[in-house]
Amino acid sequence: MAEFLIKNGFVFDPVLGIKGDKADIAIKDGKIVETTALSSPKIIDASGKTVMAGGVDVHAHVAGPKVNIGRNFRPEDKLFTYKPGHGIERMQGGFSVPTTLRTGYNYARMGYTTVMEAAMPPLYARHTHEEMRDTPILDQGAYPVFGNNWFVLEYLKNHEIENTAAYIAWLLRATKGYAVKVVNPGGTEAWGWGLNCDNVHDPVPYFDITPAQIVKGLIEANEYLGLPHSMHVHANNLGNPGNYTTTLDTFKLSEGIKPNSKFGRDQVMHHTHVQFHSYGGDSWANVESRAKDIMAYVNSHDNLTIDMGQVTLDETTTMTADGPFEHHLTELNHLKWANADVELETGSGVVPYVYSPNIKVCAIQWCIGLELALLAKDPMRVFMTTDHPNAGPFIRYPRIMKWLMSEEARKQQFDAFKHKDKVIEATNLAGIDRELDLYEIAQMTRAGPAKSLGLSHMYGGLAPGLEGDVAVFDFNPNEPYAPDAIETAFSNAECLFKAGVQVIDDHEIVSNGNKRTLWVNTKVNENPQVMRDVKEKFLRYYTVTLNNYEVSGHYLPNPYVIEVDATQ
Amino acid sequence: METVTLTIKNQPGLYLEADTITPDAFAGKKAEEIVDLPVYVGREQHRLGDFFDVSGKAGATPAETKIVVGGDLSRVKRIGQQMTGGEIVVNSNTDMYVGAWMQGGKITVNGNVDAFAGTGMKGGEITVTGNAGNYLGAAYRGDWRGMAGGKISVAGNAGSDLGTFMNGGEIVVGGDVDVHVATHAEGGKIVIKGNAKSRLGGQMVEGEIYVFGNIDVMMPGFAYREDVDIEVNGTKGRFALYEGDLGERHRKRKGQKIYGKLYQLVKA
Ligand SMILES: [Zn+2]
């Protein structure tokens, strides 16, 4: 395979601890190597430019049935956004719910090389894998959702951790999934009765189990197995004024549990899109930021990681397995609503949403997301996301970088708010003068998420032995720059390497790479009870047979299997 | 005002996507430059000059530019799409999306227009001497932002689904209309001087519909309120006022619920 030497760039790499010093990065046979290992490399002159590892997105909705519902029911999202084929790029379209091709291309342009699909309904795992297969360049994995699954509810009601773990291992294998995702634990099942679970002690109808039992039980099962990633939760009560107490209650469920993983992570809970979970007040009239309370907890608890869910002030498409929340949203904005039930497993809803800078609540949400990142003591545990496309499309990551790195950029946005004074009053952001540097950005977008995913042996850094995922940006951190220059440069990588293949050359996409799908194969002790339960549920309840359920062979033409042995 | 004259010389094999036929795209250009503007047939890009003879020159700005298009334009789409000013005269029948998302200026079609004329229109004026197809002044598929301003006048008949998701502006149809009028509308005014069929104002939140002729079937969500004497676009008369759609949410103004209003001329 080709050899590359990226010379003289300003390197930002938390894994090597390089904070903008000039360094050469060598790639050979798909991996980062010592520069001495190269014989006749292609030289990339990166002088005056920024060099980082490929970005890692820990949470985005980019593939599968609910993304496709968004595409299908929002033809207007593609209006005026089509781009005809050009060079190696095929035709693409869509803004907040882009086509699979555009998803791959646009992540690559931002220098991202690994993206996790954050919610895969197990029954529709095949569809999710089909879309990931069609997303070029990126390495991807998908998190099956467990928090409203009947098996899980029944096992955890009696605190049967071993059975829950055996079921998780089976389902990850059956669906070729990567991690344990939990969305509104119990609440989506309650939605089948027209109800919800508003706090961690609000029992699920019929199953008579609380969200707290579900979350704690899934953490324990996750650690019983020693999976690469921790349990990944979207807590109850998302998007409601006053919900920060539910979030803190959810965080506390991780207390006293130690990580058991050979994959180098320190957390037992990842809480996603925390912006949506950090609201004070008791109505939309007096909603306020509680990011300080949230971050006080996060900063003092090492066994927790979070991501932002930053509102980008765009028109977007919300989509979540939190079915009752989407109903709540359509009642608020009166826009179209799609709702789906996934038998025995989960549900979902989809509603378009316009985050307008003229609406006070949207501006408060924008502040809260940034506060979370700017109040973070350890950027290795707080990651940049927009919960794409829920709080905004992922293509805005470079704009979020601008806001995080420049107080001036934040001031410009404050000045553009219609209700600036009220927004400032309800939030802390105007009083925060912290400006993140590119090293901290690399922690939040590369090394941190890779570590949290248990993938720091592959991604997130530039140490020899890691995957040859490297981005070069036309940005000189040592010269004065206008805030907008950050956004421009990091939206449009000059060079990108994925697993040692040059994917972008001179800002042009020149290769579709060798996309891989990551999944976790966990060996567990034989568990006849769980296998009997699986058979019985398929016979009695599922509309498909087991043979039509499992994801096999051709859905993953280029799989990357992470083996876990939990038989000890 | 300067004038550019386009005459079609070659008919496209499929349909011609000609959203560059606007004063905005032409402004500041000479005929030699205008022929190089891109148009699409299917996914293939061509030059405007591959299909049209172009003469004259454009004004410095869209507002100072008039375009006269002639020949058989029944396979040409998107004339005047997104224009912000100036004038277009189309001396033929023409295809879909005439004046769609138009913001200003004036389009006169001496003939018929196909579907989606004035889709998402925000301002300006479209006059059609013949008939209009379906989705006149409607929203784009899936969108909730229909016609918001400006005026569309059709001398003949209009098809189905006119004014879907209409939020403002005015549509006047001289003849008859097909089913679905002002579906989901939240504003605007639609005047139908001929007959209407059915499903007028389905899920309508706000706005006005006037019908001078017959309505085959009224929506069950509309309730008769009273007879009123009013003048509508020069026609004075007694109209029966219905309000609806009662099944929809409705804003309140000064404590009163605001409904969609449907007026039907009472025959003497
Ligand atoms: Zn999400």
Side-chain angles (χ1 to χ4, degrees):
Chain A
M1 268 177 98
E3 297 181 349
F4 298 95
L5 183 62
I6 302 158
K7 276 180 84 89
N8 287 324
F10 299 112
V11 174
F12 293 88
D13 184 34
V15 173
L16 293 171
I18 305 179
K19 301 188 174 180
D21 296 332
K22 264 194 194 177
D24 295 346
I25 303 297
I27 301 174
K28 184 184 178 181
D29 296 337
K31 308 263 188 203
I32 313 264
V33 295
E34 302 286 356
T35 50
T36 51
L38 301 182
S39 48
S40 56
K42 180 180 169 191
I43 308 285
I44 309 288
D45 179 13
S47 10
K49 293 172 180 157
T50 293
V51 178
M52 286 185 182
V56 179
D57 196 339
V58 73
H59 189 111
H61 302 274
V62 286
K66 79 189 166 334
V67 180
N68 218 34
I69 287 175
R71 294 192 189 104
N72 283 335
F73 101 145
R74 292 210 62 197
E76 77 280 10
D77 190 67
K78 290 201 180 72
L79 182 61
F80 307 131
T81 65
Y82 279 110
K83 194 174 148 193
H86 164 73
I88 197 159
E89 289 181 56
R90 288 166 57 191
M91 191 183 85
Q92 50 199 293
F95 175 72
S96 65
V97 270
T99 57
T100 52
L101 292 157
R102 176 164 278 177
T103 300
Y105 299 146
N106 280 354
Y107 265 111
R109 281 184 217 291
M110 300 191 308
Y112 273 66
T113 46
T114 305
V115 176
M116 291 293 172
E117 159 54 47
M120 171 164 74
L123 183 65
Y124 299 121
R126 290 179 173 194
H127 181 174
T128 311
H129 281 285
E130 283 172 326
E131 289 198 11
M132 290 200 292
R133 183 184 63 193
D134 288 349
T135 306
I137 303 166
L138 308 173
D139 281 356
Q140 289 186 282
Y143 311 154
V145 286
F146 285 92
N148 294 279
N149 179 302
W150 291 7
F151 293 88
V152 170
L153 300 181
E154 285 172 4
Y155 293 141
L156 286 182
K157 182 178 175 171
N158 303 315
H159 200 66
E160 296 168 16
I161 299 302
E162 203 177 326
N163 286 340
T164 307
Y167 176 73
I168 289 171
W170 175 79
L171 194 76
L172 288 178
R173 192 177 313 118
T175 63
K176 303 295 177 280
Y178 186 79
V180 175
K181 174 74 184 302
V182 183
V183 177
N184 188 0
T188 300
E189 179 56 31
W191 179 232
W193 276 265
L195 302 168
N196 198 354
C197 294
D198 295 330
N199 62 66
V200 299
H201 303 299
D202 195 357
V204 185
Y206 175 74
F207 290 95
D208 198 30
I209 178 175
T210 65
Q213 287 172 289
I214 298 169
V215 170
K216 207 165 164 45
L218 283 170
I219 297 176
E220 289 173 26
N222 197 98
E223 298 314 312
Y224 176 96
L225 292 170
L227 297 177
H229 190 36
S230 63
M231 193 250 0
H232 186 120
V233 66
H234 146 166
N236 307 102
N237 212 5
L238 174 143
N240 289 319
N243 66 2
Y244 81 104
T245 53
T246 308
T247 312
L248 291 173
D249 288 343
T250 304
F251 285 169
K252 284 174 191 159
L253 298 169
S254 71
E255 283 178 11
I257 309 178
K258 295 241 157 10
N260 164 44
S261 170
K262 294 188 183 113
F263 297 88
R265 65 172 156 86
D266 294 325
Q267 91 281 8
V268 297
M269 175 189 284
H270 177 83
H271 195 308
T272 187
H273 42 67
V274 174
Q275 176 275 129
F276 287 122
H277 302 266
S278 303
Y279 304 157
D282 56 20
S283 75
W284 290 118
N286 65 12
V287 67
E288 59 179 6
S289 171
R290 285 291 182 161
K292 275 187 174 170
D293 306 71
I294 293 291
M295 288 314 293
Y297 188 95
V298 172
N299 286 333
S300 59
H301 290 79
D302 287 347
N303 65 350
L304 184 62
T305 59
I306 65 165
D307 65 80
M308 292 162 70
Q310 176 62 35
V311 162
T312 64
L313 305 167
D314 284 292
E315 175 182 325
T316 193
T317 311
T318 67
M319 52 181 62
T320 168
D322 194 338
F325 172 73
E326 292 289 356
H327 180 253
H328 176 69
L329 203 58
T330 189
E331 296 274 285
L332 274 176
N333 75 0
H334 307 300
L335 298 184
K336 55 192 167 182
W337 169 54
N339 179 65
D341 175 61
V342 182
E343 54 195 47
L344 287 79
E345 295 180 344
T346 181
S348 83
V350 187
V351 175
Y353 202 82
V354 183
Y355 290 97
S356 165
N358 297 330
I359 295 173
K360 189 186 80 173
V361 172
C362 300
I364 291 173
Q365 291 175 307
W366 174 82
C367 294
I368 293 173
L370 296 175
E371 286 173 13
L372 296 170
L374 293 169
L375 293 171
K377 287 225 170 87
D378 181 4
M380 285 293 286
R381 295 196 289 117
V382 178
F383 314 136
M384 185 193 294
T385 67
T386 59
D387 188 21
H388 165 87
N390 283 303
F394 68 80
I395 51 167
R396 296 298 189 223
Y397 288 175
R399 187 168 293 178
I400 299 171
M401 284 176 65
K402 174 182 78 176
W403 288 325
L404 292 175
M405 291 174 68
S406 163
E407 198 188 5
E408 185 192 336
R410 301 198 288 270
K411 279 208 176 105
Q412 286 168 4
Q413 186 57 59
F414 269 119
D415 288 339
F417 288 140
K418 189 171 175 186
H419 305 283
K420 179 182 168 186
D421 296 339
K422 284 183 184 162
V423 172
I424 288 175
E425 207 175 295
T427 58
N428 313 301
L429 187 63
I432 300 176
D433 60 2
R434 184 177 179 188
E435 295 185 328
L436 299 187
D437 59 29
L438 283 171
Y439 187 81
E440 290 166 313
I441 294 289
Q443 290 178 301
M444 288 183 167
T445 57
R446 279 130 171 109
K451 182 179 174 182
S452 170
L453 287 167
L455 291 171
S456 52
H457 61 293
M458 294 174 75
Y459 307 134
L462 296 170
L466 298 184
E467 297 292 305
D469 299 352
V470 187
V472 180
F473 300 99
D474 198 356
F475 185 79
N476 187 331
N478 296 337
E479 280 178 7
Y481 51 81
D484 284 345
I486 301 169
E487 184 175 345
T488 308
F490 288 91
S491 296
N492 191 6
E494 181 169 316
C495 287
L496 180 70
F497 299 86
K498 173 63 197 157
V501 174
Q502 185 161 11
V503 166
I504 294 180
D505 184 11
D506 193 16
H507 309 284
E508 284 276 317
I509 292 181
V510 292
S511 165
N512 286 310
N514 297 302
K515 186 255 167 37
R516 292 177 295 190
T517 307
L518 284 74
W519 69 277
V520 173
N521 188 28
T522 312
K523 216 195 272 176
V524 286
N525 295 322
E526 252 176 61
N527 189 321
Q529 188 198 328
V530 168
M531 290 325 295
R532 202 170 55 234
D533 291 346
V534 166
K535 275 212 180 83
E536 195 201 288
K537 283 265 195 301
F538 271 87
L539 273 176
R540 290 187 60 170
Y541 298 123
Y542 270 101
T543 56
V544 299
T545 67
L546 258 176
N547 289 336
N548 291 313
Y549 185 83
E550 292 185 54
V551 174
S552 56
H554 68 282
Y555 288 93
L556 293 82
N558 198 9
Y560 187 94
V561 189
I562 294 186
E563 303 283 352
V564 177
D565 187 350
T567 55
Q568 312 306 318
Chain B
M1 191 171 237
E2 305 278 357
T3 301
V4 180
T5 305
L6 302 184
T7 310
I8 197 160
K9 59 179 180 187
N10 293 316
Q11 287 293 331
L14 298 166
Y15 282 78
L16 190 67
E17 312 272 344
D19 59 351
T20 43
I21 303 182
T22 62
D24 298 75
F26 284 15
K29 292 190 176 71
K30 300 195 219 39
E32 307 90 89
E33 296 166 293
I34 290 169
V35 293
D36 281 333
L37 288 171
V39 288
Y40 278 87
V41 176
R43 62 175 196 170
E44 285 171 14
Q45 191 179 317
H46 298 267
R47 295 160 61 248
L48 192 57
D50 296 341
F51 298 94
F52 288 92
D53 284 325
V54 180
S55 63
K57 68 173 188 126
T61 65
E64 295 161 278
T65 302
K66 178 176 176 176
I67 304 171
V68 180
V69 201
D72 178 7
L73 305 170
S74 53
R75 296 170 84 83
V76 179
K77 294 177 201 271
R78 302 183 191 273
I79 293 176
Q81 179 170 308
Q82 290 172 288
M83 70 187 264
T84 63
E87 192 180 343
I88 302 180
V89 178
V90 181
N91 290 315
S92 165
N93 296 338
T94 185
D95 203 60
M96 300 197 286
Y97 289 102
V98 172
W101 302 285
M102 176 176 180
Q103 294 179 33
K106 196 176 165 204
I107 300 176
T108 306
V109 178
N110 293 310
N112 303 327
V113 295
D114 209 315
F116 300 106
T119 287
M121 182 171 174
K122 291 199 176 91
E125 218 179 303
I126 300 175
T127 306
V128 179
T129 62
N131 302 320
N134 301 331
Y135 295 96
L136 179 71
Y140 184 67
R141 283 280 162 81
D143 209 335
W144 57 91
R145 288 155 292 204
M147 182 171 173
K151 184 173 179 181
I152 302 176
S153 306
V154 175
N157 304 323
S160 68
D161 301 275
L162 74 153
T164 302
F165 280 107
M166 191 170 181
N167 290 318
E170 186 177 351
I171 302 175
V172 181
V173 179
D176 303 337
V177 300
D178 209 324
V179 297
H180 290 149
V181 175
T183 307
H184 282 292
E186 294 209 39
K189 175 181 173 187
I190 297 176
V191 180
I192 298 156
K193 296 195 170 169
N195 301 319
K197 288 183 174 168
S198 66
R199 299 182 196 176
L200 289 85
Q203 293 188 277
M204 187 176 185
V205 176
E206 221 177 306
E208 296 160 19
I209 305 171
Y210 299 87
V211 181
F212 290 9
N214 300 321
I215 297 172
D216 288 353
V217 185
M218 279 291 286
M219 287 287 289
F222 273 74
Y224 169 76
R225 300 293 193 208
E226 60 180 329
D227 281 4
V228 290
D229 293 315
I230 50 174
E231 186 182 331
V232 183
N233 291 37
T235 301
K236 269 190 193 166
R238 175 156 295 186
F239 287 75
L241 166 62
Y242 299 79
E243 285 188 328
D245 182 331
L246 302 177
E248 264 300 317
R249 75 199 149 83
H250 292 281
R251 265 182 287 272
K252 276 187 178 169
R253 206 170 288 149
K254 289 177 187 156
Q256 288 282 72
K257 267 196 180 179
I258 308 297
Y259 292 96
K261 292 178 161 33
L262 197 167
Y263 298 86
Q264 187 178 18
L265 190 64
V266 179
K267 294 278 153 58

